[in-house]
């Protein structure tokens, strides 16, 4: 039974671990161990070389492959076995960003097309969100939360999960009331509103993802009618490829993600006074059990 179970599985590791032979022979290894007819091996290998766009590399030695080419070869070697379950252990961790993005998109299409069940281990939140139908977050060696990708990313159940998933704005407070489908949360001298179902008196952490926070200048028309508005001062800006990460001191620490265009137009700079606003639907409350 164990042997039969192993025959139904395949794995792709962070390091491709290819043998010292050409791409075609590497891809055919598992089929050779299963002693399939040569004609069938050649046919199945040809299909996956073509499917993963490495047919032109068929006779190239593994030692002369780039990182992306080697990982495609490793994936072809796994998929040619027609596995029922595919295990992937951070397969793109060692690749540069453009190569990783391309392979991530190709893998997503491949898994959807083949209907293979995949178990994908990663530390990259973007990979989990892009590929995962269901996501399990492991904290300290145990499963902290399981659910759909959208559910886990938008509604973390524990402080450790929220932090792992990139939620940096975590404001301690207490639920004080409910009205018109909204919960009122007292956070020190500030009042926040959230579209969740909590009872008055509960101690909570108000969690807001950075992409949900909008930044405005003093007197900006965008503040008219805005909910959950907090005044503060910019303490740090960090440029990234497509955006800026902006930290503010609003009596509590807030972290927002701002597009490069918005960053320039708004004139965001360290030391400048700004207003942060986020709608009630973007506020997720986490029960507070002794957390600071």
């Amino acid at each position: 039974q164990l042997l039969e179970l192993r025959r139904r599985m395949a794995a792709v590791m962070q390091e491709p671990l290819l043998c010292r032979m050409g791409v075609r022979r590497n891809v055919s290894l598992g089929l050779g161990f299963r002693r399939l007819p040569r004609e069938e091996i050649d046919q199945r290998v040809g299909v996956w070389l073509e499917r993963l766009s490495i047919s032109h590399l068929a006779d190239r030695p593994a030692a002369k492959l780039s990182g992306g080419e080697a990982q495609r070869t490793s994936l072809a070697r796994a998929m040619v076995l027609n596995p029922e379950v595919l295990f992937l252990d951070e397969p793109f961790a060692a690749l540069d960003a453009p190569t990783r993005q391309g392979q991530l998109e190709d893998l997503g299409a491949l898994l959807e097309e083949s209907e293979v069940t995949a178990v994908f281990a990663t530390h990259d939140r973007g990979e989990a969100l892009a590929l995962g139908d269901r996501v399990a977050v492991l904290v300290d060696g145990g499963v902290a939360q399981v659910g759909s990708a959208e559910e886990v990313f938008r509604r973390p159940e524990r402080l450790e999960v929220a932090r792992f998933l990139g939620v940096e704005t975590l404001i301690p407070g207490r639920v004080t009331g409910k009205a018109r489908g909204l919960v009122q949360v007292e956070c020190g001298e500030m009042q926040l509103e959230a579209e969740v179902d909590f009872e008055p008196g509960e101690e909570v952490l108000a969690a807001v993802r950075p992409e949900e926070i909008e930044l405005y200048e003093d007197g900006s028309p965008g503040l008219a009618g805005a909910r959950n508005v907090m005044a503060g001062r910019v303490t740090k800006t960090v440029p990234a490829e497509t955006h800026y990460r902006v930290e503010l001191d609003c009596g509590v620490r807030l972290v927002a993600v701002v597009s490069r265009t918005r960053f320039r137009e708004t004139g965001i700079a360290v030391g400048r006074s700004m207003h942060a606003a986020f709608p009630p639907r973007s506020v997720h409350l986490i029960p507070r059990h002794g957390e600071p």
Side-chain angles (χ1 to χ4, degrees), residues 6-235:
R6 293 180 63 181
R7 289 173 62 88
R8 297 177 182 177
M9 299 178 179
V12 178
M13 313 303 289
Q14 182 173 334
E15 294 294 331
L17 302 177
L18 300 178
C19 296
R20 294 181 180 179
M21 54 183 66
V23 167
R24 189 192 310 274
R25 290 188 62 196
N26 265 286
V27 174
S28 69
L29 275 177
L31 299 177
F33 292 149
R34 296 182 181 187
R35 299 184 179 181
L36 295 183
R38 172 51 56 187
E39 295 78 9
E40 182 177 351
I41 291 176
D42 291 343
Q43 188 272 331
R44 286 168 64 168
V45 169
V47 167
W48 282 103
L49 291 178
E50 180 69 26
R51 178 64 183 81
L52 288 162
S53 303
I54 53 175
S55 293
H56 62 293
L57 303 173
D59 298 317
R60 182 174 298 182
K64 294 186 177 181
L65 298 175
S66 69
E69 292 166 347
Q71 201 57 281
R72 284 180 181 271
T73 301
S74 180
L75 183 56
R77 184 174 60 186
M79 293 301 295
V80 78
L81 301 175
N82 294 333
E84 294 181 23
V85 180
L86 178 65
F87 292 92
L88 301 108
D89 182 14
E90 298 194 86
F92 309 137
L95 303 181
D96 59 83
T99 301
R100 182 169 62 248
Q101 183 60 36
Q103 298 221 21
L104 187 65
E105 293 173 1
D106 287 349
L107 177 61
L110 184 156
L111 293 176
E112 184 174 352
E113 174 186 304
S114 64
E115 298 184 347
V116 173
T117 298
V119 180
F120 190 101
T122 180
H123 285 85
D124 188 294
R125 297 187 295 267
E127 291 181 352
L129 190 57
L131 290 178
D133 295 316
R134 289 181 63 78
V135 171
V137 179
L138 304 181
V139 177
D140 295 330
V143 177
Q145 186 173 346
V146 179
S148 70
E150 180 69 15
E151 177 185 359
V152 172
F153 275 77
R154 292 293 177 184
R155 294 183 290 276
E157 297 174 355
R158 290 169 44 181
L159 173 61
E160 300 91 338
V161 175
R163 285 176 170 164
F164 180 77
L165 295 177
V167 180
E168 297 183 81
T169 298
L170 294 157
I171 308 170
R174 183 172 61 88
V175 176
T176 57
K178 302 167 69 174
R180 300 184 301 279
L182 297 177
V183 165
Q184 287 77 47
V185 184
E186 182 181 86
C187 302
E189 298 180 357
M190 298 172 292
Q191 295 287 333
L192 300 181
E193 294 179 325
E195 290 184 359
V196 290
D197 188 17
F198 271 67
E199 295 301 319
E202 291 192 67
E203 300 289 331
V204 297
L205 289 168
V208 188
R209 295 196 61 83
E211 61 270 19
E212 300 281 1
I213 300 175
E214 295 282 350
L215 300 184
Y216 298 96
E217 305 167 85
D218 291 338
S220 170
L223 287 171
R227 312 290 282 270
N228 295 330
V229 178
M230 303 173 69
R233 188 175 301 276
V234 178
T235 59

